Amino acid sequence: MNYEEALRFIHGRPRMRKEPTLKRMTKFLAELGNPQETIKAVHVAGTNGKGSTIAFLERMIQDTGHTVGTFTSPFLTRFNERISVNGQPINDQEIVDLVEIIKPIVEKMDQAQHGGPLEFEIVTAMMFIYFKKHPVDIVLIEVGIGGKFDSTNVFTPIISVITNVGFDHMEILGDTLPKIATQKAGIIKKRVPVITGAKSDDVLKVLKSRSKRESAALKIIGQDFKIDEENNFKNEQTIISNLSSGLLGVYQIDNLAVSIETMIMLSQILNWTINFEQLKKSIRLTSWAGRMEIVGQKPEIILDGAHNLPGIEALIQSVTRYWPNQKVYVLAAILEDKLFNQMLEKLVQPANVNVFLTNFSGPGKRQAVKKVELTSELKKSVQYEENWQAALQKIRQEAKEDDVIVVTGSLYFISEVRPNFKK
């Protein structure tokens, strides 16, 4: 088997089945010798901010001299990014080796009554096997969707993190914040501490209830820890002053606060020593591709993978803060299974923002929304260009040097656009 054949095997698997369950994943891992039981890990759930929180943590842990593995999705450039060690994706041969281990088990399970593993279950199992074979000091594991029935939710972490909770994947997770929060809270385990960046009373009520039931200590942003207006991190025992984030975006302040609280707790659990000056340097040097990433100048061009309503709301908050007096061109491609009308309504609100809607080749059978699907008001407010390259060219010709261009709407879209800027 070669690398291309391994990827075809993975991507050829079903993506979803009707009934949410962890039984298939549990059986799959049992057949593989339960590799998930051998790792130390932090489990990270949330609607937005998972990737940024992991990016901050990864840099902080690595710079303390410890080895850190990450499991994230989706990838921006190559599949291998999903499993990495100290920021370096695993190599092609390791992907092949992992697929060759799991393939016979998958084929065996395919013959059983309930069928074999789904695509994400396979990738998750590959990650567990990899970190069993190649141990690291800590693994940061990002939830795929939700939490309760996510295929990562089959191990006991040393800390559970829930960044925030908003409206996304409602067809799977539910149509109210308490329902969505219940799914996210599914990662909370017996006596495993929980750190959250959630602020909504409806969400916190769910998290508090679940944490109490599981005897899990819950740390809440704004109550137990925070970053104040002077950029000082504070919790009950610690003050870290004059922080400067390497990640652009107003919303990154909360993600940074969550990651620092997690780092402090990790250090206490694992008896690590933290040098706060080194920690501040790590935070300053943190980067995260596709999230408020500057890829061009004059005009400034920003890539931001805001792919749901909370993400777009956070993006507009940053636009309003950073560029209140500049003309901002937004090039957006949004998948049609998202709340696209509400997302676009947020984007067109600021008077200095011009929105161009475009298309791209979405993942699998998922399609980007077309102008014909918009409300009549949005059709008047939004310009549409089918070809994103043509749309971007049109914007660049129109924009002046001190204007700003933001490309957004989907991480999959960002992964298609980004190679045109990053050489």
Side-chain angles (χ1 to χ4, degrees):
M1 179 183 293
N2 60 33
Y3 177 72
E4 288 71 26
E5 290 168 337
L7 289 189
R8 275 199 298 274
F9 174 78
I10 295 166
H11 297 321
R13 298 299 302 174
R15 290 177 59 87
M16 199 167 289
R17 292 201 173 98
K18 287 183 180 178
E19 293 298 320
T21 178
L22 286 176
K23 290 179 181 176
R24 184 175 50 250
M25 187 67 188
T26 303
K27 182 181 178 186
F28 185 28
L29 290 172
E31 293 275 0
L32 291 164
N34 286 316
Q36 78 281 7
E37 294 178 356
T38 66
I39 64 171
K40 286 180 186 170
V42 175
H43 205 188
V44 184
T47 304
N48 293 94
K50 299 186 294 292
S52 301
T53 300
I54 286 174
F56 281 124
L57 274 171
E58 179 186 42
R59 184 72 198 230
M60 286 189 276
I61 293 166
Q62 188 179 337
D63 288 350
T64 60
H66 300 285
T67 53
V68 54
T70 58
F71 180 62
T72 57
S73 58
F75 61 91
L76 276 185
T77 308
R78 299 191 81 225
F79 175 85
N80 307 43
E81 296 166 27
R82 300 184 76 161
I83 303 170
S84 77
V85 177
N86 283 357
Q88 294 302 310
I90 66 173
N91 65 45
D92 293 359
Q93 187 56 50
E94 286 164 335
I95 297 289
V96 173
D97 293 345
L98 291 167
V99 171
E100 286 180 337
I101 291 169
I102 66 168
K103 190 169 183 281
I105 307 296
V106 172
E107 290 170 345
K108 176 184 169 184
M109 289 180 66
D110 278 343
Q111 305 307 313
Q113 181 182 356
H114 299 294
L118 304 175
E119 179 181 356
F120 190 66
E121 290 171 338
I122 283 175
V123 182
T124 304
M126 288 168 61
M127 175 269 296
F128 284 131
I129 295 167
Y130 181 80
F131 288 119
K132 179 183 179 181
K133 290 176 65 180
H134 307 279
V136 294
D137 294 322
I138 194 75
V139 186
L140 309 175
I141 296 177
E142 179 183 347
V143 166
I145 294 176
K148 183 178 181 180
F149 294 111
D150 187 75
S151 61
T152 62
N153 197 28
V154 287
F155 74 104
T156 302
I158 57 177
I159 301 173
S160 302
V161 175
I162 300 172
T163 55
N164 68 1
V165 178
F167 289 104
D168 196 18
H169 300 295
M170 290 149 65
E171 73 286 356
I172 299 170
L173 305 180
D175 56 1
T176 68
L177 279 183
K179 286 179 184 176
I180 296 170
T182 299
Q183 292 296 320
K184 308 286 184 188
I187 72 164
I188 297 174
K189 304 293 193 303
K190 186 72 72 178
R191 286 183 289 279
V192 174
V194 186
I195 296 169
T196 186
K199 295 178 177 178
S200 157
D201 288 341
D202 287 344
V203 171
L204 289 175
K205 185 178 179 183
V206 172
L207 300 187
K208 286 175 181 177
S209 173
R210 172 78 184 201
S211 297
K212 185 177 181 181
R213 191 160 73 248
E214 299 295 339
S215 303
L218 176 64
K219 299 288 187 180
I220 300 169
I221 195 168
Q223 298 179 30
D224 301 296
F225 65 94
K226 66 178 180 179
I227 292 178
D228 63 23
E229 292 180 359
E230 282 76 45
N231 293 321
N232 304 316
F233 173 87
K234 297 177 181 178
N235 67 13
E236 291 174 358
Q237 298 91 20
T238 307
I239 296 176
I240 308 173
S241 57
N242 301 317
L243 293 168
S244 174
S245 170
L247 298 184
L248 196 61
V250 175
Y251 57 90
Q252 296 294 6
I253 297 298
D254 286 351
N255 298 331
L256 176 57
V258 168
S259 66
I260 295 173
E261 180 70 13
T262 305
M263 183 66 186
I264 290 171
M265 190 179 288
L266 257 183
S267 301
Q268 292 167 348
I269 294 169
L270 299 176
N271 293 316
W272 292 351
T273 301
I274 297 182
N275 178 316
F276 286 149
E277 287 306 311
Q278 177 60 62
L279 201 71
K280 287 160 68 171
K281 183 179 178 183
S282 301
I283 291 163
R284 207 164 52 245
L285 295 175
T286 298
S287 61
W288 187 236
R291 278 74 167 186
M292 293 298 285
E293 181 183 16
I294 301 171
V295 294
Q297 300 286 351
K298 296 184 178 181
E300 194 163 54
I301 301 174
I302 312 285
L303 304 182
D304 188 55
H307 57 281
N308 52 32
L309 186 56
I312 291 294
E313 288 171 341
L315 170 60
I316 288 300
Q317 187 182 8
S318 295
V319 166
T320 305
R321 171 80 66 87
Y322 296 139
W323 309 292
N325 303 314
Q326 291 160 271
K327 196 167 189 177
V328 179
Y329 293 85
V330 174
L331 177 61
I334 303 171
L335 293 170
E336 62 183 2
D337 56 6
K338 300 290 183 175
L339 297 173
F340 55 83
N341 279 314
Q342 292 96 316
M343 291 165 72
L344 287 166
E345 282 164 6
K346 293 288 181 185
L347 285 173
V348 300
Q349 276 180 2
N352 63 326
V353 173
N354 285 16
V355 179
F356 288 72
L357 184 66
T358 191
N359 201 355
F360 77 111
S361 51
K365 296 179 180 177
R366 297 167 75 190
Q367 299 293 313
V369 65
K370 307 284 180 65
K371 189 170 184 178
V372 69
E373 300 173 74
L374 306 184
T375 63
S376 55
E377 282 303 308
L378 279 173
K379 284 174 184 172
K380 298 173 192 171
S381 306
V382 172
Q383 297 186 56
Y384 182 76
E385 170 59 58
E386 178 80 15
N387 181 281
W388 70 258
Q389 290 94 338
L392 186 57
Q393 185 178 6
K394 183 178 179 182
I395 291 170
R396 294 179 86 166
Q397 288 171 346
E398 189 176 317
K400 296 181 172 61
E401 281 193 357
D402 59 348
D403 292 339
V404 178
I405 300 170
V406 179
V407 182
T408 190
S410 166
L411 273 168
Y412 294 103
F413 179 45
I414 296 302
S415 70
E416 192 170 310
V417 174
R418 191 171 181 267
N420 291 262
F421 294 99
K422 306 301 285 185
K423 302 299 181 188

PDB file of all heavy atoms in Angstrom, residues 58-77:
ATOM      1  N   GLU A  58       0.034  24.063  22.683  1.00  0.00           N
ATOM      2  CA  GLU A  58       1.105  23.333  22.013  1.00  0.00           C
ATOM      3  C   GLU A  58       2.421  24.098  22.108  1.00  0.00           C
ATOM      4  O   GLU A  58       3.468  23.536  22.456  1.00  0.00           O
ATOM      5  CB  GLU A  58       0.733  23.093  20.549  1.00  0.00           C
ATOM      6  CG  GLU A  58       1.796  22.366  19.743  1.00  0.00           C
ATOM      7  CD  GLU A  58       1.425  22.285  18.272  1.00  0.00           C
ATOM      8  OE1 GLU A  58       0.927  23.290  17.716  1.00  0.00           O
ATOM      9  OE2 GLU A  58       1.636  21.215  17.677  1.00  0.00           O
ATOM     10  N   ARG A  59       2.364  25.390  21.826  1.00  0.00           N
ATOM     11  CA  ARG A  59       3.582  26.210  21.863  1.00  0.00           C
ATOM     12  C   ARG A  59       4.125  26.325  23.290  1.00  0.00           C
ATOM     13  O   ARG A  59       5.331  26.209  23.530  1.00  0.00           O
ATOM     14  CB  ARG A  59       3.280  27.598  21.288  1.00  0.00           C
ATOM     15  CG  ARG A  59       4.498  28.501  21.192  1.00  0.00           C
ATOM     16  CD  ARG A  59       5.407  28.033  20.073  1.00  0.00           C
ATOM     17  NE  ARG A  59       6.747  28.582  20.190  1.00  0.00           N
ATOM     18  CZ  ARG A  59       7.390  29.192  19.186  1.00  0.00           C
ATOM     19  NH1 ARG A  59       6.799  29.333  18.022  1.00  0.00           N
ATOM     20  NH2 ARG A  59       8.608  29.634  19.352  1.00  0.00           N
ATOM     21  N   MET A  60       3.231  26.547  24.246  1.00  0.00           N
ATOM     22  CA  MET A  60       3.668  26.688  25.637  1.00  0.00           C
ATOM     23  C   MET A  60       4.320  25.407  26.151  1.00  0.00           C
ATOM     24  O   MET A  60       5.379  25.446  26.793  1.00  0.00           O
ATOM     25  CB  MET A  60       2.474  27.068  26.529  1.00  0.00           C
ATOM     26  CG  MET A  60       2.009  28.502  26.372  1.00  0.00           C
ATOM     27  SD  MET A  60       0.784  28.979  27.629  1.00  0.00           S
ATOM     28  CE  MET A  60      -0.722  28.367  26.896  1.00  0.00           C
ATOM     29  N   ILE A  61       3.689  24.267  25.854  1.00  0.00           N
ATOM     30  CA  ILE A  61       4.214  22.982  26.338  1.00  0.00           C
ATOM     31  C   ILE A  61       5.553  22.676  25.680  1.00  0.00           C
ATOM     32  O   ILE A  61       6.520  22.273  26.336  1.00  0.00           O
ATOM     33  CB  ILE A  61       3.199  21.854  26.059  1.00  0.00           C
ATOM     34  CG1 ILE A  61       1.928  22.058  26.902  1.00  0.00           C
ATOM     35  CG2 ILE A  61       3.817  20.488  26.358  1.00  0.00           C
ATOM     36  CD1 ILE A  61       0.751  21.202  26.469  1.00  0.00           C
ATOM     37  N   GLN A  62       5.622  22.872  24.376  1.00  0.00           N
ATOM     38  CA  GLN A  62       6.846  22.591  23.630  1.00  0.00           C
ATOM     39  C   GLN A  62       8.005  23.445  24.144  1.00  0.00           C
ATOM     40  O   GLN A  62       9.131  22.959  24.307  1.00  0.00           O
ATOM     41  CB  GLN A  62       6.611  22.851  22.140  1.00  0.00           C
ATOM     42  CG  GLN A  62       7.748  22.412  21.244  1.00  0.00           C
ATOM     43  CD  GLN A  62       7.436  22.685  19.779  1.00  0.00           C
ATOM     44  OE1 GLN A  62       6.282  22.801  19.387  1.00  0.00           O
ATOM     45  NE2 GLN A  62       8.472  22.795  18.964  1.00  0.00           N
ATOM     46  N   ASP A  63       7.715  24.703  24.425  1.00  0.00           N
ATOM     47  CA  ASP A  63       8.770  25.624  24.866  1.00  0.00           C
ATOM     48  C   ASP A  63       9.218  25.375  26.304  1.00  0.00           C
ATOM     49  O   ASP A  63      10.237  25.908  26.741  1.00  0.00           O
ATOM     50  CB  ASP A  63       8.315  27.078  24.706  1.00  0.00           C
ATOM     51  CG  ASP A  63       8.260  27.510  23.239  1.00  0.00           C
ATOM     52  OD1 ASP A  63       8.744  26.746  22.377  1.00  0.00           O
ATOM     53  OD2 ASP A  63       7.732  28.604  22.958  1.00  0.00           O
ATOM     54  N   THR A  64       8.463  24.563  27.050  1.00  0.00           N
ATOM     55  CA  THR A  64       8.926  24.176  28.392  1.00  0.00           C
ATOM     56  C   THR A  64       9.843  22.952  28.321  1.00  0.00           C
ATOM     57  O   THR A  64      10.346  22.490  29.348  1.00  0.00           O
ATOM     58  CB  THR A  64       7.745  23.843  29.327  1.00  0.00           C
ATOM     59  OG1 THR A  64       7.008  22.752  28.766  1.00  0.00           O
ATOM     60  CG2 THR A  64       6.846  25.021  29.547  1.00  0.00           C
ATOM     61  N   GLY A  65      10.033  22.408  27.103  1.00  0.00           N
ATOM     62  CA  GLY A  65      10.924  21.262  26.921  1.00  0.00           C
ATOM     63  C   GLY A  65      10.227  19.924  26.934  1.00  0.00           C
ATOM     64  O   GLY A  65      10.878  18.877  26.927  1.00  0.00           O
ATOM     65  N   HIS A  66       8.881  19.932  26.910  1.00  0.00           N
ATOM     66  CA  HIS A  66       8.122  18.687  26.884  1.00  0.00           C
ATOM     67  C   HIS A  66       7.659  18.384  25.462  1.00  0.00           C
ATOM     68  O   HIS A  66       7.516  19.290  24.637  1.00  0.00           O
ATOM     69  CB  HIS A  66       6.921  18.776  27.828  1.00  0.00           C
ATOM     70  CG  HIS A  66       7.300  19.029  29.253  1.00  0.00           C
ATOM     71  ND1 HIS A  66       7.841  18.057  30.066  1.00  0.00           N
ATOM     72  CD2 HIS A  66       7.247  20.145  30.011  1.00  0.00           C
ATOM     73  CE1 HIS A  66       8.096  18.551  31.253  1.00  0.00           C
ATOM     74  NE2 HIS A  66       7.735  19.828  31.255  1.00  0.00           N
ATOM     75  N   THR A  67       7.415  17.105  25.186  1.00  0.00           N
ATOM     76  CA  THR A  67       6.898  16.727  23.868  1.00  0.00           C
ATOM     77  C   THR A  67       5.378  16.737  23.897  1.00  0.00           C
ATOM     78  O   THR A  67       4.765  16.238  24.844  1.00  0.00           O
ATOM     79  CB  THR A  67       7.391  15.333  23.441  1.00  0.00           C
ATOM     80  OG1 THR A  67       7.085  14.384  24.467  1.00  0.00           O
ATOM     81  CG2 THR A  67       8.873  15.340  23.159  1.00  0.00           C
ATOM     82  N   VAL A  68       4.784  17.310  22.865  1.00  0.00           N
ATOM     83  CA  VAL A  68       3.332  17.456  22.818  1.00  0.00           C
ATOM     84  C   VAL A  68       2.803  16.945  21.472  1.00  0.00           C
ATOM     85  O   VAL A  68       3.289  17.326  20.419  1.00  0.00           O
ATOM     86  CB  VAL A  68       2.909  18.926  23.080  1.00  0.00           C
ATOM     87  CG1 VAL A  68       3.616  19.893  22.144  1.00  0.00           C
ATOM     88  CG2 VAL A  68       1.396  19.092  22.979  1.00  0.00           C
ATOM     89  N   GLY A  69       1.823  16.072  21.551  1.00  0.00           N
ATOM     90  CA  GLY A  69       1.143  15.593  20.355  1.00  0.00           C
ATOM     91  C   GLY A  69      -0.173  16.320  20.201  1.00  0.00           C
ATOM     92  O   GLY A  69      -0.768  16.767  21.194  1.00  0.00           O
ATOM     93  N   THR A  70      -0.624  16.477  18.962  1.00  0.00           N
ATOM     94  CA  THR A  70      -1.933  17.098  18.734  1.00  0.00           C
ATOM     95  C   THR A  70      -2.745  16.274  17.752  1.00  0.00           C
ATOM     96  O   THR A  70      -2.200  15.631  16.853  1.00  0.00           O
ATOM     97  CB  THR A  70      -1.812  18.535  18.193  1.00  0.00           C
ATOM     98  OG1 THR A  70      -1.056  18.524  16.978  1.00  0.00           O
ATOM     99  CG2 THR A  70      -1.142  19.450  19.199  1.00  0.00           C
ATOM    100  N   PHE A  71      -4.050  16.298  17.947  1.00  0.00           N
ATOM    101  CA  PHE A  71      -5.006  15.696  17.020  1.00  0.00           C
ATOM    102  C   PHE A  71      -6.052  16.757  16.723  1.00  0.00           C
ATOM    103  O   PHE A  71      -6.809  17.159  17.605  1.00  0.00           O
ATOM    104  CB  PHE A  71      -5.660  14.460  17.639  1.00  0.00           C
ATOM    105  CG  PHE A  71      -6.667  13.794  16.738  1.00  0.00           C
ATOM    106  CD1 PHE A  71      -6.286  13.267  15.505  1.00  0.00           C
ATOM    107  CD2 PHE A  71      -7.998  13.693  17.111  1.00  0.00           C
ATOM    108  CE1 PHE A  71      -7.214  12.650  14.671  1.00  0.00           C
ATOM    109  CE2 PHE A  71      -8.930  13.064  16.285  1.00  0.00           C
ATOM    110  CZ  PHE A  71      -8.532  12.545  15.062  1.00  0.00           C
ATOM    111  N   THR A  72      -6.047  17.275  15.496  1.00  0.00           N
ATOM    112  CA  THR A  72      -6.924  18.391  15.131  1.00  0.00           C
ATOM    113  C   THR A  72      -7.599  18.135  13.793  1.00  0.00           C
ATOM    114  O   THR A  72      -7.184  17.257  13.029  1.00  0.00           O
ATOM    115  CB  THR A  72      -6.112  19.699  15.029  1.00  0.00           C
ATOM    116  OG1 THR A  72      -5.051  19.516  14.080  1.00  0.00           O
ATOM    117  CG2 THR A  72      -5.513  20.098  16.366  1.00  0.00           C
ATOM    118  N   SER A  73      -8.635  18.914  13.516  1.00  0.00           N
ATOM    119  CA  SER A  73      -9.310  18.827  12.218  1.00  0.00           C
ATOM    120  C   SER A  73     -10.057  20.141  11.954  1.00  0.00           C
ATOM    121  O   SER A  73     -10.380  20.862  12.890  1.00  0.00           O
ATOM    122  CB  SER A  73     -10.292  17.655  12.209  1.00  0.00           C
ATOM    123  OG  SER A  73     -11.259  17.788  13.238  1.00  0.00           O
ATOM    124  N   PRO A  74     -10.334  20.450  10.665  1.00  0.00           N
ATOM    125  CA  PRO A  74      -9.818  19.732   9.498  1.00  0.00           C
ATOM    126  C   PRO A  74      -8.389  20.173   9.226  1.00  0.00           C
ATOM    127  O   PRO A  74      -7.867  21.065   9.916  1.00  0.00           O
ATOM    128  CB  PRO A  74     -10.745  20.195   8.376  1.00  0.00           C
ATOM    129  CG  PRO A  74     -11.127  21.585   8.767  1.00  0.00           C
ATOM    130  CD  PRO A  74     -11.201  21.588  10.275  1.00  0.00           C
ATOM    131  N   PHE A  75      -7.749  19.572   8.231  1.00  0.00           N
ATOM    132  CA  PHE A  75      -6.404  20.002   7.857  1.00  0.00           C
ATOM    133  C   PHE A  75      -6.500  21.114   6.820  1.00  0.00           C
ATOM    134  O   PHE A  75      -7.501  21.220   6.107  1.00  0.00           O
ATOM    135  CB  PHE A  75      -5.584  18.824   7.305  1.00  0.00           C
ATOM    136  CG  PHE A  75      -6.159  18.184   6.069  1.00  0.00           C
ATOM    137  CD1 PHE A  75      -5.793  18.613   4.804  1.00  0.00           C
ATOM    138  CD2 PHE A  75      -7.046  17.122   6.171  1.00  0.00           C
ATOM    139  CE1 PHE A  75      -6.317  18.031   3.659  1.00  0.00           C
ATOM    140  CE2 PHE A  75      -7.574  16.521   5.028  1.00  0.00           C
ATOM    141  CZ  PHE A  75      -7.208  16.974   3.772  1.00  0.00           C
ATOM    142  N   LEU A  76      -5.470  21.950   6.743  1.00  0.00           N
ATOM    143  CA  LEU A  76      -5.464  23.051   5.777  1.00  0.00           C
ATOM    144  C   LEU A  76      -4.722  22.708   4.493  1.00  0.00           C
ATOM    145  O   LEU A  76      -5.127  23.106   3.410  1.00  0.00           O
ATOM    146  CB  LEU A  76      -4.843  24.299   6.386  1.00  0.00           C
ATOM    147  CG  LEU A  76      -5.764  25.190   7.219  1.00  0.00           C
ATOM    148  CD1 LEU A  76      -5.032  26.441   7.652  1.00  0.00           C
ATOM    149  CD2 LEU A  76      -7.031  25.563   6.473  1.00  0.00           C
ATOM    150  N   THR A  77      -3.624  21.972   4.609  1.00  0.00           N
ATOM    151  CA  THR A  77      -2.809  21.682   3.433  1.00  0.00           C
ATOM    152  C   THR A  77      -2.735  20.188   3.136  1.00  0.00           C
ATOM    153  O   THR A  77      -3.047  19.752   2.035  1.00  0.00           O
ATOM    154  CB  THR A  77      -1.383  22.236   3.614  1.00  0.00           C
ATOM    155  OG1 THR A  77      -1.462  23.621   3.989  1.00  0.00           O
ATOM    156  CG2 THR A  77      -0.588  22.121   2.313  1.00  0.00           C
TER     157      THR A  77
END
